[in-house]
Amino acid sequence: MPEKGAVSFGRREPGFAERLVRSIHAGGPISLAHYIAQVNSHYYGTRNPLGAGGDFITAPEISQMFGELTGLCLADVWHRTGMREPPCYVELGPGRGTLAADALRAMQQARLAPLAHFVETSPALRAHQSAAVAHAKFHDDVDTLPTDRPLLVVANEFFDALPIAQAIRTEDGWREVMVGLGEGGALAPLTGERRVDARVPQGLRDAAPGSIHESCVVGATIMMTLARRIARQGGVMIAIDYGYEGPALGDTLQAVRAHTYADVFADPGENDLTAHVDFTLLGNAARQEGLGVHGPVGQGAFLERLGIGARARTLASAQPERAEEIEAARHRLVAPDAMGSLFKVLAVTHPDWPAPEGFA
């Protein structure tokens, strides 16, 4: 029942997509980065997108082995430092909390029990994460993470969902890619008027007209912030994502819905928007703060070096009825024709900390 005195005139509140179109119609085109930020904020804030019934599935949802080995990798680095005060386990964009639950369980078996801190803004996902890791503390951004102890940070498929800017090469130099209204009032990419040549690495500026260069300032900023913290407090960060070693040209922006590709500009707020991660950019951001950088290496090689084969055999021996399922999950995580090569792993460490296993 509405409150006493409330009056309804039967007006329909416009949905997210309609509000976005109206704002562009009134104010003009917006940058692609602004578009992605708005769309993904609405998308992740209003649903649980993971799993068979969602839009995509991540490595931790495929098998417990992924989270367990990641946790053991972090625990091993911690023990090799010789430190005794418990660090913090930090995860950026923890999904449903599956990776954290598996990693923390494995870390506890390795005699390390850190408190969990999740950087997550989605109320819908926070509910799932609380159910998976009851003691987790939540943060809207990395700025409020603890400052009094080392940080063991995991970012799995986090950087790919951050907003990217695109520049397109025209006959008159590089221009910003914008989002405006195209034919019939539908959202569409447009070439902006502003020159952005300085944003493109010198070696790529003479590319052919139509070439696309992508940059992720938000990702570099987050990495530098965390690197600064790790340099002061001690710690290690493992970033796992699909991506490349830049600088490079190409349009990698994509939309996914119900496990299939969708139109980036159709049904805004209903599709997951992602772009490939430039691991060189992330590594250089960490180097600027004096951190050690390891990798990137393929996810398959990383997991094989950590012992996923042995772990799969142990699980299959304990649950023979699941042996085929466990082997299929292992193959999906490590095979070059699945996630093994496309997904890459980067680690950054305090200059006095040892290199994590999995990178040699």
Side-chain angles (χ1 to χ4, degrees), residues 124-272:
L125 289 174
R126 280 189 177 190
H128 287 276
Q129 294 155 11
S130 292
V133 182
H135 62 78
K137 296 184 179 180
F138 290 98
H139 304 263
D140 290 333
D141 54 52
V142 299
D143 293 330
T144 60
L145 291 172
T147 60
D148 61 345
R149 60 192 62 209
L151 305 176
L152 307 181
V153 186
V154 177
N156 180 61
E157 293 197 49
F158 169 78
F159 286 100
D160 68 271
L162 298 178
I164 60 162
Q166 285 186 344
I168 184 168
R169 179 72 158 86
T170 71
E171 296 291 351
D172 189 31
W174 291 88
R175 306 280 180 169
E176 179 99 27
V177 174
M178 309 290 288
V179 178
L181 301 181
E183 187 174 339
L187 293 170
L190 305 173
T191 300
E193 297 180 359
R194 187 163 66 93
R195 294 273 304 254
V196 291
D197 298 67
R199 182 192 299 164
V200 181
Q202 187 69 46
L204 302 178
R205 290 183 191 172
D206 292 332
S211 298
I212 298 288
H213 176 261
E214 297 178 341
S215 56
C216 184
V217 174
V218 175
T221 301
I222 291 173
M223 175 58 87
M224 289 186 70
T225 301
L226 284 170
R228 197 171 296 125
R229 287 291 201 88
I230 290 172
R232 288 201 306 261
Q233 300 169 223
V236 55
M237 175 177 177
I238 296 177
I240 309 159
D241 232 310
Y242 53 88
Y244 60 95
E245 294 181 66
L249 297 173
D251 179 3
T252 72
L253 181 61
Q254 62 187 27
V256 173
R257 186 176 186 180
H259 302 275
T260 60
Y261 291 113
D263 187 331
V264 168
F265 302 102
D267 302 317
E270 300 303 317
N271 304 320
D272 175 40

Side-chain angles (χ1 to χ4, degrees), residues 91-146:
E91 191 166 340
L92 312 183
R96 295 195 291 199
T98 305
L99 191 161
D102 292 336
L104 290 166
R105 183 180 65 253
M107 294 167 82
Q108 189 166 32
Q109 292 173 354
R111 307 185 315 280
L112 180 62
L115 291 177
H117 292 260
F118 291 164
V119 179
E120 178 63 71
T121 59
S122 167
L125 289 174
R126 280 189 177 190
H128 287 276
Q129 294 155 11
S130 292
V133 182
H135 62 78
K137 296 184 179 180
F138 290 98
H139 304 263
D140 290 333
D141 54 52
V142 299
D143 293 330
T144 60
L145 291 172

